[in-house]
Amino acid sequence: GVVFMFLSFLWAAYHAGGIWNRYQETFEEGNMAAREEIYPQAWKMFLEKPLAGWGPINNKYKLGARTAEEGRESPIRDTHNLWLELLTATGIVGALPFLLGVWLCLQAAWKARASVYGTIPLVLMITVLVLNISVNWIQSKQLWLVFAFALASNRALRGARLLRRAALSHPRLSLAVPVAHGPTAEAHILFRGS
């Protein structure tokens, strides 16, 4: 299954010219869309102001000035990395609460493996965290949707456990659990006759 998915990705990348050309430029010319210049400069910016950072907008202007290219019209430049964005924009003071939130989402996704969603929340969390090494999705709905899904899937698991406990402890309640598991599986509480 995994090998098939990997080969499918390679096939799709080869037939989508833009993606394949980008890979070729990276491997043959070392062109990484200026990330090789952006990352060291962003790290230096963090080291200059590690506590509070440069500010959410100012960091982009400062990075743009430090990595200015001839013919580039825009005075701003994105870090192309969520973690460097956090550190340059808000410093340690802003990064720590965000990282705590990410940790809570990861814990929820880990615990949600026993829910009807299985490992989907965990896989999505890992995917967006790894993806954000090369892009900056701090303002992206996809990132926040994955965080919310991880937290909600854990809450759904807790809700199902509470229903099960209530059904077992109350003499007039019965919990009908479906044999099949999946996103459409439901637990029903039935009242037992007296």
Side-chain angles (χ1 to χ4, degrees):
V2 174
V3 173
F4 176 74
M5 292 296 289
F6 181 72
L7 292 174
S8 298
F9 172 76
L10 284 179
W11 180 84
Y14 181 76
H15 290 292
I19 296 173
W20 190 253
N21 293 340
R22 187 86 177 260
Y23 286 135
Q24 279 184 318
E25 287 178 15
T26 300
F27 291 125
E28 293 172 4
E29 303 167 17
N31 181 355
M32 297 189 324
R35 284 172 174 82
E36 66 275 9
E37 298 168 15
I38 293 171
Y39 291 172
Q41 288 300 323
W43 184 250
K44 286 179 187 175
M45 286 173 55
F46 164 66
L47 293 177
E48 289 174 17
K49 292 189 176 186
L51 199 55
W54 294 84
I57 302 297
N58 293 335
N59 70 327
K60 294 184 185 314
Y61 281 99
K62 187 69 172 174
L63 187 60
R66 289 183 178 205
T67 59
E69 298 172 342
E70 189 175 319
R72 183 173 167 81
E73 294 179 16
S74 178
I76 64 171
R77 179 156 270 174
D78 189 69
T79 58
H80 296 290
N81 181 301
L82 174 67
W83 315 110
L84 287 174
E85 175 69 24
L86 280 171
L87 293 172
T88 59
T90 63
I92 294 171
V93 171
L96 285 179
F98 184 86
L99 293 174
L100 176 64
V102 169
W103 175 252
L104 293 174
C105 290
L106 279 169
Q107 278 186 321
W110 180 260
K111 291 175 184 176
R113 292 174 303 132
S115 75
V116 295
Y117 299 109
T119 59
I120 293 172
L122 184 62
V123 169
L124 286 173
M125 281 295 297
I126 292 170
T127 301
V128 297
L129 294 177
V130 170
L131 180 67
N132 274 278
I133 293 171
S134 183
V135 296
N136 176 12
W137 275 9
I138 192 74
Q139 297 177 352
S140 168
K141 292 176 187 171
Q142 291 95 327
L143 177 72
W144 297 100
L145 182 66
V146 168
F147 288 172
F149 178 62
L151 290 171
S153 59
N154 185 38
R155 296 290 296 180
L157 177 64
R158 278 201 261 165
R161 285 182 180 158
L162 288 174
L163 283 174
R164 186 168 294 137
R165 268 192 235 131
L168 294 174
S169 66
H170 195 282
R172 295 195 63 205
L173 293 178
S174 165
L175 186 64
V177 180
V179 176
H181 296 286
T184 58
E186 296 178 1
H188 301 280
I189 295 181
L190 306 171
F191 283 97
R192 291 184 189 141
S194 41

